[in-house]
Amino acid sequence: MLSNLGLCRRAGKLEAGFDSVKQAVINRLALLILYTEDLSDKTKKEILFLTEKYQIEAVLVPLTMDQVAQILRKKIGVFAVTDQGFVTMLKKSLASLSDDQTQSEQSN
């Protein structure tokens, strides 16, 4: 998941940070919004309001801002993906993470 976010960023198809994400949503460039587990309640509320208003999918990723900072070199908790190919790739990556987590919980 982290490497896919980094790839998306290097390709210029990832907006990072609340202000950039908000602009991408308003300008209808954002196709998918991702936010981290430790995003503040206030920011999460604002992002979810925007995604509902503009009918964009928002997904909680099982990562923290510190984990994201390892790849992106910045402590950021919200992202907008602006390319359909990367949306598909990231959704597959998230599904894989979810499947791995489910299998791990079932084996315990």
Side-chain angles (χ1 to χ4, degrees):
M1 177 69 196
L2 284 171
S3 60
N4 290 340
L5 273 178
L7 181 63
C8 188
R9 176 73 177 230
R10 286 188 298 280
K13 302 300 181 183
L14 186 73
E15 296 294 330
F18 179 78
D19 292 333
S20 295
V21 169
K22 182 178 178 181
Q23 279 307 118
V25 168
I26 291 170
N27 293 334
R28 302 208 180 268
L29 298 173
L31 303 174
L32 175 68
I33 304 299
L34 304 171
Y35 61 97
T36 60
E37 296 173 336
D38 56 348
L39 188 66
S40 77
D41 289 339
K42 179 180 183 270
T43 304
K44 188 185 312 181
K45 182 179 175 182
E46 290 179 33
I47 286 297
L48 294 176
F49 172 79
L50 280 172
T51 57
E52 187 175 321
K53 180 178 178 180
Y54 289 91
Q55 298 178 338
I56 299 169
E57 183 179 6
V59 178
L60 170 65
V61 294
L63 300 169
T64 65
M65 285 188 254
D66 289 331
Q67 290 171 313
V68 170
Q70 293 173 6
I71 296 293
L72 301 182
R73 308 287 185 236
K74 289 183 181 179
K75 198 172 176 180
I76 300 169
V78 63
F79 310 91
V81 183
T82 61
D83 177 83
Q84 187 58 51
F86 282 109
V87 167
T88 303
M89 179 183 67
L90 288 166
K91 282 185 174 181
K92 285 180 185 176
S93 180
L94 283 167
S96 173
L97 276 175
S98 178
D99 290 345
D100 290 347
Q101 231 175 10
T102 302
Q103 289 174 358
S104 173
E105 289 171 1
Q106 289 175 352
S107 66
N108 289 335

